[in-house]
Amino acid sequence: MATPSRKTSTQSPLASKRALMSDPSSEVPSKKKSSVPPAAPPPLPSSGPFVEGSIVRIAMENFLTYDVCEVSPGPHLNMIIGANGTGKSSIVCAICLGLAGKPAFMGRADKVGFFVKRGCSKGMVEIELFRTSGNLVITREIDVAKNQSLWFINKKSANQKIVEEQVAALNIQVGNLCQFLPQDKVGEFAKLSKIELLEATEKSIGPPEMHKYHCELKNFREKEKQLETSCKQKTEYLEKMIQRNERYKQDVDRFYERKRHLDLIEMLEAKRPWVEYENVRQEYEEVKLARDQAKEEVRKLKESQIPITERIEEMERQRHILEARIKEKASAIKETSQKCKHKQDVIERKDKQIEELQQALTVKQNEEHDRQRRISNTRKMIEDLQNELKTTESCENLQPQIDAVTNDLRRVQDEKALCESEMIDKRRERETLEKEKRSVDDHIIRFDNLMNQKEDKLRQRYRDTYDAVLWLRNNRDKFKQRVCEPIMLTINMKDNKNAKYIENHIPSNDLRAFVFENQEDMEVFLKEVRDNKKLRVNAVIAPKNSYAEKAPSRSLNDLKQYGFFSYLRELFDAPDPVMSYLCCQYHIHEVPVGTERTREKIERVIQETRLKQIYTAEEKYVVKTSFYSNKVISSNTSLKVAQFLTVTVDLEQRRHLEEQLKEINRKLQAVESGLIALRETNKHLEHKDNELRQKKKELLERKTKKRQLEQKISSKLGSLKLMEQDTCNLEEEERKASTKIKEINVQKAKLVTELTNLIKNCTALHIQKVDLILQNTTVISEKNKLESDYIATSSQLRITEQHFIELDENRQRLLQKCKELMKRARQVCNLGAEQTVPQEYQTAFQDLPNTLDEIDALLTEERSRASCFTGLNPTVVEEYTKREEEIEQLTEELKIKKVELEKYRENISQVKERWLNPLKELVEKINEKFSYFFSSMQCAGEVDLHTENEEDYDKYGIRIRVKFRSSTQLHELTPHHQSGGERSVSTMLYLMALQELNRCPFRVVDEINQGMDPINERRVFEMVVNTACKENTSQYFFITPKLLQNLPYSEKMTVLFVYNGPHMLEPNRWNLKAFQRRRRRITFTQPSQ
């Protein structure tokens, strides 16, 4: 890398130079390891052709491609030349970042840390700017880890804001494309809109106040629009408010008319309680007088009842004495009656004893008659049993018959036990067969479920193929030879984890294809399914010669060293036509499957085995040999997850299970037939067993009958003897009973005499009691008469007392009502307990009626009138009043807004005059220069101030129109209409037009000539040299990787060469003067040679 020095003559494109170089390939770049900025030469004095703010020196350390580099540009045109990648644009980045520009301005990276050289933790950029009061040195240290920067101004620490202020004070705008155009932003200049171009031009070459005035105008115009909108809205709203109040005015008048009626109603309702109170008070006085009269009458009636009360009390005392004597007599009668009753009870007990004796005698007589009858019956029964015993045969003749029947019965039972044992064995055999049948059925169901899973996957993914399978199963009789269902249904993986290899090897179209052995069968199938049913299905023909058992070209044992464990064919089972087709079409017998070890040795496998297709654990490799170079080319793809073949159904095992099920059913049928025969045999033996048992029973009964008869006769004789011994003397029993009855009758007669005497005493007592009752009745009658007289007097007293109570209650009620009416009347008038009725109420009450009827009639009338004012709402009046206030407020606000609007319009007019006229002059000057540059290139171009509406200041813009051919019209410069070279030329000429008008200290243009053709590049370069090398022009940086030959140069321009490479000299070995002396010596010695 190099830091060039100064200019050359225009005779040669090569310029003298001095440079500091370093090897960019060095891993440890040379740099100073201090935290303060590196020492820099003292600021240059304020002299020479440099303008205020020009760059005097650029120093970089560990920045992009540079280890250490220092550049000293000239005051006019600085042309930086170097091959691509040497570090030209790094100088542009250093200028931008060193002057507080953002990384995004260069369009390279968004973080400042990315600009530090790779492998370094810190970098540094230092810019020295010319200033008449003393040069300004800005240093920026960049920390990669923190992505932060330290700033120094003239070796003193500062912050970025202070640096930005110092840079802005010198009118340096690294973010303005009209002043600073990096390589990665060249294309964006043409993309600038007219508005953005105007803003950039104003900032670049306009007076400082021009952009400020433009911004003020835009703000003023925005506020003017807001005020106009606000005034318009407020005016419209004010008119609506006034119109609405006019509509509601009549309702407000009606509201106040109704209020007058309501006020009168309120006054009538206020007087009504007072009138009602007065009426109740008068009624209270009348009731109080009547109550006092009733009280006096009650007193007189009570005094007249005292003699009657005394006589009634005397009669009551006599009644009590007589009732006491009656009770005494009743008590004596009761005592005598109880004695009589006792005597009667004793007599009844005696009668009962006589009856019991008679009943006992009758019982003994009946028992004796019954004993004689039982004796007679027993004798007759003994006689019958003895006759039967004589007729019974001897039991010795029956024993041989019983023994013969017993032997037959034993033989039948043995045969029956054997039959039942055979039946048990048959049932066990049947249970075993049924258990086996259930197990086989379960296995078949599981196979069917697995097959259904495969068919469900087929139906969900390929519905047409599934429908075709159903049709095939119902129409197999239409085909001559075997037809296999889709391959994905007929393939059964031996291990599900290997399904991914088959699915990745066989395309899905063939996986869902039907396999035929006969061409005619396939045509019949496709005609029916495709043509008639419109189903999208695939069909293939198996080879005539089977490939199913074809051996692979290489033995698997030879491949196991590479990790291969099988060929694809051995991973699954399939019908012979399917396997033959897959071997023929996809060579599954030639494609090996390996493991992860295979993938680790894949290069060796490819080179040594020359296999065309290889599968590892997770990848598929396809190996081809180039037809031209005979090189081996391999490609690998990751295996997709298996979707269809993960479900395995062993059809051979299912067929075996079906055959096993048929055999079980046959055995079950044979066992069932045997059971039926055994049941019949057992039934016959059971019947024979019952017959023999019955016969044996009859013989045994006959054998034991004689012995039973003898036992019965003996038992009956014993019973007869006992009955004959149990005798009874009836005559003696009758004599004893008669004697006891006579004794009881004597006792009974004595008791009857005593009872007669007691009855006589009781009768005398009853007569005395009746006499006392008659006396008591006379006393009670007289007492009742007196009580009747007392009751009559008491009734009148009660009526009088009740009348008194009612009058008193009425008095209390009226008194309470008076209090309530007084309280209500005071509440209606808002009066306290001690306040009198105010004078205004008394005056108003005088004009109102004095009776309740008149008041009620007037109230009804006024309420009827008030009710006529319907649809009125108190809120209408409130809103009306509120709206009146709001109208006044809005009117005042509208006046203020209009005054403010006029003020803004005056400000706009003043600022517009200060801004627009200088701007038009400035644009005219730019247009003059721009048109001149284009005309010198035999092209045309112009610049004008463009706007659609003069009042829309934010829509003002600079429009560039160009034409490069005489046959075309002027067209606006856009990113799409012109070519890249034409846009570069237009951009460059526009910047040159700004050069002489520019008030910025320097301008940077990076590789803008790349898209130009040689003619335009030469013309533009000549204009740049002529314009940038004039007196009093700002500094200009022109970066390019190449130049045309024989270009014109100026003495004022500086050419900076940037070299880079592994053979560069160290910076401390660079000596420009020694190189120049050596060059002169070589030049002087060449002629002599």
Side-chain angles (χ1 to χ4, degrees):
M1 13 184 129
T3 305
S5 148
R6 265 309 220 257
K7 56 184 184 162
T8 68
S9 67
T10 58
Q11 302 299 320
S12 171
L14 299 176
S16 60
K17 56 188 180 297
R18 57 181 173 85
L20 296 173
M21 297 180 295
S22 65
D23 185 359
S25 63
S26 174
E27 293 183 358
V28 184
S30 59
K31 64 174 183 178
K32 298 182 180 179
K33 299 187 179 290
S34 62
S35 59
V36 297
L44 297 176
S46 302
S47 61
F50 285 98
V51 299
E52 189 83 2
S54 295
I55 297 175
V56 176
R57 181 176 57 85
I58 306 167
M60 295 166 283
E61 184 177 336
N62 297 332
F63 187 80
L64 290 176
T65 60
Y66 295 104
D67 288 332
V68 178
C69 181
E70 185 174 304
V71 179
S72 299
H76 297 291
L77 176 60
N78 291 275
M79 187 167 62
I80 303 175
I81 304 173
N84 288 330
T86 54
K88 305 184 301 301
S89 296
S90 299
I91 299 173
V92 177
C93 295
I95 294 173
C96 178
L97 296 179
L99 295 177
K102 297 179 180 178
F105 291 166
M106 278 82 72
R108 286 193 171 195
D110 56 350
K111 294 182 179 180
V112 70
F114 291 153
F115 290 88
V116 176
K117 187 174 181 179
R118 183 174 298 177
C120 300
S121 60
K122 290 185 179 181
M124 184 275 294
V125 175
E126 186 173 86
I127 307 293
E128 183 176 351
L129 301 176
F130 176 78
R131 200 167 57 177
T132 55
S133 59
N135 287 0
L136 179 68
V137 180
I138 299 173
T139 306
R140 181 175 190 172
E141 282 191 356
I142 303 169
D143 190 326
V144 176
K146 297 180 180 179
N147 193 39
Q148 293 179 352
S149 300
L150 296 176
W151 296 91
F152 300 88
I153 297 179
N154 293 333
K155 306 299 181 292
K156 294 181 180 179
S157 179
N159 56 41
Q160 185 171 347
K161 186 176 180 182
I162 296 174
V163 174
E164 289 174 350
E165 292 174 355
Q166 293 281 354
V167 170
L170 295 172
N171 199 31
I172 297 173
Q173 306 168 24
V174 292
N176 189 341
L177 295 182
C178 289
Q179 179 178 346
F180 194 89
L181 191 61
Q183 176 182 350
D184 296 317
K185 294 285 186 177
V186 170
E188 292 188 12
F189 186 88
K191 296 179 183 178
L192 290 176
S193 65
K194 295 186 284 290
I195 299 170
E196 293 172 337
L197 185 59
L198 173 61
E199 183 178 354
T201 303
E202 285 178 339
K203 292 179 180 178
S204 179
I205 64 170
E209 66 275 5
M210 178 176 286
H211 182 64
K212 175 186 173 186
Y213 288 153
H214 191 186
C215 294
E216 288 180 357
L217 274 175
K218 288 189 283 188
N219 293 334
F220 286 157
R221 177 56 182 161
E222 185 64 28
K223 291 181 179 178
E224 181 188 15
K225 288 180 181 178
Q226 293 175 0
L227 287 171
E228 287 175 349
T229 303
S230 178
C231 288
K232 184 178 178 181
Q233 291 175 350
K234 288 184 182 295
T235 303
E236 292 174 354
Y237 184 61
L238 182 61
E239 291 175 355
K240 289 180 182 178
M241 297 279 283
I242 294 172
Q243 292 173 3
R244 191 177 300 172
N245 260 18
E246 288 296 327
R247 287 198 303 270
Y248 291 147
K249 191 172 186 308
Q250 185 177 0
D251 291 343
V252 173
D253 294 339
R254 293 177 68 240
F255 176 83
Y256 284 118
E257 179 66 22
R258 178 174 177 270
K259 189 173 184 304
R260 284 193 291 273
H261 291 291
L262 293 177
D263 290 343
L264 179 57
I265 291 170
E266 183 182 358
M267 194 56 66
L268 287 169
E269 289 177 344
K271 183 176 181 180
R272 193 180 188 285
W274 291 102
V275 175
E276 193 175 357
Y277 164 75
E278 185 61 26
N279 292 342
V280 173
R281 190 188 65 77
Q282 292 176 3
E283 185 179 356
Y284 167 77
E285 295 295 335
E286 294 172 359
V287 170
K288 183 180 179 184
L289 180 62
R291 173 213 175 238
D292 294 339
Q293 293 174 355
K295 185 177 181 181
E296 181 64 22
E297 188 175 354
V298 168
R299 186 186 63 77
K300 291 178 180 180
L301 286 172
K302 284 183 177 181
E303 289 178 354
S304 66
Q305 282 185 334
I306 294 174
I308 298 173
T309 304
E310 291 176 351
R311 180 64 181 162
I312 290 171
E313 291 175 354
E314 179 64 22
M315 291 293 103
E316 182 68 19
R317 283 195 296 272
Q318 290 182 10
R319 186 180 68 79
H320 283 309
I321 293 171
L322 289 172
E323 287 181 353
R325 292 178 64 189
I326 290 170
K327 286 181 180 180
E328 289 177 359
K329 296 299 179 181
S331 179
I333 291 169
K334 182 178 180 182
E335 183 180 353
T336 305
S337 297
Q338 287 178 350
K339 289 179 180 179
C340 290
K341 188 175 183 304
H342 177 69
K343 294 299 181 182
Q344 287 177 348
D345 293 338
V346 174
I347 292 169
E348 289 177 357
R349 284 198 295 274
K350 294 299 181 181
D351 290 337
K352 192 172 182 181
Q353 288 177 2
I354 293 171
E355 186 180 356
E356 288 175 353
L357 288 172
Q358 291 175 347
Q359 287 178 355
L361 181 60
T362 303
V363 168
K364 288 181 179 181
Q365 290 174 348
N366 292 334
E367 286 178 352
E368 180 62 21
H369 292 319
D370 184 62
R371 187 181 67 83
Q372 292 297 330
R373 183 181 55 79
R374 284 189 286 111
I375 290 171
S376 176
N377 290 336
T378 303
R379 285 175 179 170
K380 184 178 180 181
M381 188 178 296
I382 291 170
E383 185 179 354
D384 291 338
L385 289 172
Q386 287 174 349
N387 292 332
E388 185 178 357
L389 180 62
K390 291 176 182 180
T391 59
T392 304
E393 61 181 333
S394 178
C395 61
E396 285 79 4
N397 300 329
L398 297 175
Q399 188 61 41
Q401 297 179 23
I402 293 172
D403 294 339
V405 171
T406 302
N407 292 331
D408 292 341
L409 182 61
R410 188 178 296 112
R411 180 179 54 80
V412 170
Q413 287 177 347
D414 291 342
E415 291 178 2
K416 185 180 175 184
L418 180 62
C419 182
E420 288 178 350
S421 176
E422 290 180 1
M423 288 177 66
I424 291 171
D425 293 339
K426 291 289 184 182
R427 288 193 189 100
R428 288 175 180 171
E429 185 179 359
R430 184 179 63 181
E431 289 175 359
T432 303
L433 289 172
E434 287 177 347
K435 187 176 180 181
E436 291 179 4
K437 182 181 178 181
R438 286 194 297 272
S439 176
V440 173
D441 285 337
D442 291 341
H443 278 82
I444 291 175
I445 290 170
R446 284 198 290 272
F447 276 114
D448 291 342
N449 289 338
L450 292 173
M451 195 65 184
N452 290 336
Q453 290 179 21
K454 295 179 75 172
E455 291 177 3
D456 285 342
K457 290 185 178 182
L458 178 66
R459 178 175 54 81
Q460 293 171 8
R461 186 70 177 272
Y462 306 111
R463 182 61 191 229
D464 286 1
T465 306
Y466 176 76
D467 293 341
V469 170
L470 298 180
W471 181 88
L472 174 64
R473 290 174 180 175
N474 296 326
N475 297 275
R476 287 192 178 273
D477 56 341
K478 294 184 179 183
F479 304 102
K480 298 177 181 179
Q481 294 184 1
R482 185 177 181 182
V483 179
C484 295
E485 292 181 359
I487 293 176
M488 66 173 61
L489 296 181
T490 58
I491 283 180
N492 289 293
M493 299 302 303
K494 295 178 181 178
D495 190 343
N496 291 343
K497 67 181 182 181
N498 295 325
K500 58 184 177 181
Y501 302 118
I502 308 303
E503 288 194 22
N504 280 272
H505 191 73
I506 303 173
S508 60
N509 285 339
D510 272 4
L511 280 175
R512 59 191 178 96
F514 294 81
V515 182
F516 292 82
E517 292 183 331
N518 185 283
Q519 180 69 30
E520 293 180 3
D521 287 347
M522 187 173 75
E523 291 175 357
V524 170
F525 175 80
L526 293 178
K527 182 178 180 181
E528 182 66 31
V529 174
R530 280 188 184 173
D531 300 342
N532 297 342
K533 295 187 174 296
K534 307 299 182 184
L535 300 178
R536 296 189 297 273
V537 297
N538 296 334
V540 297
I541 294 242
K544 291 183 179 180
N545 299 323
S546 177
Y547 283 76
E549 301 299 331
K550 189 176 181 180
S553 59
R554 299 187 62 170
S555 173
L556 183 64
N557 293 329
D558 297 339
L559 299 177
K560 286 185 177 180
Q561 59 177 319
Y562 304 110
F564 293 108
F565 64 88
S566 175
Y567 284 104
L568 288 178
R569 183 176 61 184
E570 278 66 41
L571 297 179
F572 64 93
D573 294 323
D576 189 73
V578 174
M579 187 68 78
S580 178
Y581 171 76
L582 294 177
C583 288
C584 178
Q585 187 69 23
Y586 296 106
H587 308 288
I588 58 174
H589 62 293
E590 295 283 2
V591 179
V593 181
T595 59
E596 189 66 27
R597 190 159 63 91
T598 308
R599 191 188 64 80
E600 294 172 358
K601 301 178 179 181
I602 193 63
E603 293 184 2
R604 178 184 164 196
V605 171
I606 292 171
Q607 295 296 330
E608 294 180 4
T609 62
R610 295 291 181 173
L611 293 168
K612 295 182 178 180
Q613 294 187 67
I614 299 168
Y615 283 93
T616 63
E618 297 296 335
E619 291 178 329
K620 174 183 179 181
Y621 287 84
V622 178
V623 182
K624 296 180 181 179
T625 304
S626 173
F627 180 75
Y628 299 99
S629 61
N630 203 28
K631 290 183 178 179
V632 176
I633 302 171
S634 66
S635 61
N636 65 309
T637 55
S638 297
L639 298 182
K640 299 177 182 176
V641 179
Q643 298 180 357
F644 299 106
L645 302 181
T646 53
V647 178
T648 301
V649 180
D650 191 340
L651 297 179
E652 186 63 32
Q653 187 179 356
R654 191 182 187 282
R655 283 194 294 272
H656 175 70
L657 289 172
E658 288 177 349
E659 292 174 358
Q660 188 177 350
L661 182 62
K662 289 179 181 178
E663 180 64 20
I664 292 172
N665 288 330
R666 186 188 61 75
K667 290 181 179 179
L668 276 172
Q669 189 173 1
V671 169
E672 195 65 34
S673 300
L675 273 173
I676 293 171
L678 288 171
R679 286 193 195 100
E680 291 295 327
T681 304
N682 190 55
K683 185 177 179 182
H684 174 71
L685 292 173
E686 185 75 26
H687 179 68
K688 193 171 182 180
D689 181 76
N690 291 334
E691 288 179 350
L692 291 172
R693 286 177 184 275
Q694 184 64 28
K695 188 175 180 180
K696 182 178 180 181
K697 181 179 179 182
E698 291 174 356
L699 291 172
L700 290 172
E701 287 177 354
R702 287 170 61 189
K703 180 179 179 182
T704 58
K705 186 173 182 180
K706 183 177 181 181
R707 189 181 305 144
Q708 291 175 352
L709 288 172
E710 291 174 349
Q711 289 176 355
K712 286 182 180 180
I713 290 170
S714 176
S715 176
K716 293 297 180 184
L717 289 173
S719 299
L720 178 62
K721 186 177 182 179
L722 291 173
M723 284 188 291
E724 288 176 347
Q725 291 176 357
D726 189 16
T727 59
C728 179
N729 191 354
L730 289 176
E731 293 178 356
E732 181 65 24
E733 293 295 329
E734 290 175 354
R735 187 185 58 78
K736 290 180 181 179
S738 177
T739 304
K740 289 181 180 180
I741 290 171
K742 287 179 181 179
E743 291 176 357
I744 293 170
N745 284 331
V746 172
Q747 295 174 0
K748 182 179 176 183
K750 185 179 179 182
L751 289 171
V752 169
T753 304
E754 292 176 355
L755 177 62
T756 305
N757 294 330
L758 289 172
I759 291 172
K760 289 179 180 178
N761 292 335
C762 186
T763 303
L765 290 172
H766 274 290
I767 292 169
Q768 294 174 6
K769 179 182 176 183
V770 169
D771 184 46
L772 290 172
I773 290 172
L774 290 173
Q775 293 178 16
N776 188 41
T777 303
T778 303
V779 172
I780 290 172
S781 176
E782 188 176 354
K783 177 189 172 188
N784 290 338
K785 183 180 178 182
L786 289 172
E787 286 178 345
S788 298
D789 294 340
Y790 181 81
I791 288 170
T793 308
S794 298
S795 176
Q796 186 178 359
L797 177 61
R798 282 196 303 273
I799 292 171
T800 305
E801 286 179 341
Q802 184 65 30
H803 181 58
F804 169 75
I805 292 170
E806 290 175 355
L807 289 173
D808 190 60
E809 289 176 352
N810 196 17
R811 182 187 69 84
Q812 294 290 341
R813 181 180 60 78
L814 291 173
L815 179 61
Q816 185 64 29
K817 189 174 181 180
C818 283
K819 292 180 180 179
E820 291 175 356
L821 290 172
M822 173 62 75
K823 183 178 179 181
R824 195 176 82 184
R826 288 183 175 278
Q827 286 177 349
V828 170
C829 297
N830 295 322
L831 299 176
E834 304 298 330
Q835 288 181 320
T836 59
V837 180
Q839 186 62 37
E840 60 269 17
Y841 275 100
Q842 295 180 10
T843 304
F845 288 167
Q846 290 177 359
D847 298 332
L848 298 177
N850 294 321
T851 65
L852 288 176
D853 293 338
E854 291 175 348
I855 289 173
D856 289 341
L858 187 56
L859 268 173
T860 303
E861 181 181 352
E862 290 299 320
R863 284 171 180 161
S864 299
R865 290 180 179 177
S867 64
C868 294
F869 297 92
T870 58
L872 297 178
N873 192 342
T875 57
V876 173
V877 180
E878 295 177 6
E879 290 177 359
Y880 179 85
T881 307
K882 185 178 178 181
R883 206 175 288 116
E884 284 291 333
E885 296 173 357
E886 193 172 351
I887 287 171
E888 294 179 5
Q889 183 179 355
L890 278 174
T891 305
E892 187 63 29
E893 289 179 1
L894 189 59
K895 289 180 182 178
I896 295 171
K897 291 287 184 183
K898 287 182 178 179
V899 171
E900 189 177 357
L901 179 60
E902 288 301 322
K903 182 178 178 182
Y904 268 106
R905 285 174 177 168
E906 290 177 5
N907 291 337
I908 288 173
S909 178
Q910 295 173 2
V911 176
K912 180 180 179 181
E913 186 176 354
R914 298 193 196 110
W915 171 73
L916 189 56
N917 292 335
L919 178 61
K920 288 180 178 179
E921 293 176 3
L922 182 63
V923 172
E924 185 60 36
K925 291 179 181 178
I926 295 172
N927 181 48
E928 181 180 348
K929 296 289 185 183
F930 189 75
S931 300
Y932 169 74
F933 290 145
F934 258 89
S935 61
S936 64
M937 295 178 62
Q938 287 78 46
C939 300
E942 65 178 31
V943 177
D944 61 357
L945 188 64
H946 178 267
T947 184
E948 295 178 358
N949 184 359
E950 189 176 350
E951 301 300 324
D952 291 337
Y953 302 108
D954 56 344
K955 298 295 193 307
Y956 274 78
I958 289 181
R959 180 174 60 179
I960 301 175
R961 297 194 298 166
V962 296
K963 74 171 182 175
F964 291 88
R965 288 166 289 279
S966 59
S967 59
T968 60
Q969 299 293 328
L970 287 170
H971 288 284
E972 187 174 343
L973 180 64
T974 64
H976 312 293
H977 189 274
Q978 290 80 15
S979 66
E982 290 172 348
R983 291 197 301 271
S984 297
V985 170
S986 303
T987 302
M988 194 67 188
L989 295 183
Y990 184 79
L991 295 177
M992 294 307 303
L994 301 181
Q995 180 68 15
E996 295 185 4
L997 304 173
N998 197 4
R999 62 183 183 86
C1000 62
F1002 64 86
R1003 177 171 282 108
V1004 177
V1005 179
D1006 190 359
E1007 296 192 16
I1008 199 170
N1009 60 334
Q1010 290 304 295
M1012 299 182 189
D1013 58 79
I1015 297 174
N1016 287 335
E1017 183 178 356
R1018 187 176 296 276
R1019 292 174 178 172
V1020 169
F1021 184 82
E1022 184 177 352
M1023 292 178 190
V1024 170
V1025 172
N1026 294 335
T1027 304
C1029 292
K1030 291 182 179 179
E1031 294 293 338
N1032 300 322
T1033 60
S1034 59
Q1035 194 177 33
Y1036 201 100
F1037 290 88
F1038 184 83
I1039 295 92
T1040 178
K1042 52 88 179 179
L1043 286 174
L1044 299 174
Q1045 294 183 355
N1046 301 320
L1047 291 174
Y1049 295 91
S1050 170
E1051 290 288 341
K1052 294 182 179 180
M1053 68 184 290
T1054 302
V1055 180
L1056 305 172
F1057 291 94
V1058 181
Y1059 291 102
N1060 201 340
H1063 304 292
M1064 295 293 296
L1065 290 176
E1066 295 294 332
N1068 55 5
R1069 294 177 58 192
W1070 178 262
N1071 189 334
L1072 180 60
K1073 293 181 179 180
F1075 294 152
Q1076 289 175 341
R1077 287 195 300 271
R1078 188 180 303 168
R1079 175 63 180 172
R1080 283 195 293 272
R1081 285 198 304 270
I1082 294 172
T1083 302
F1084 294 152
T1085 58
Q1086 279 179 353
S1088 63
Q1089 294 175 355

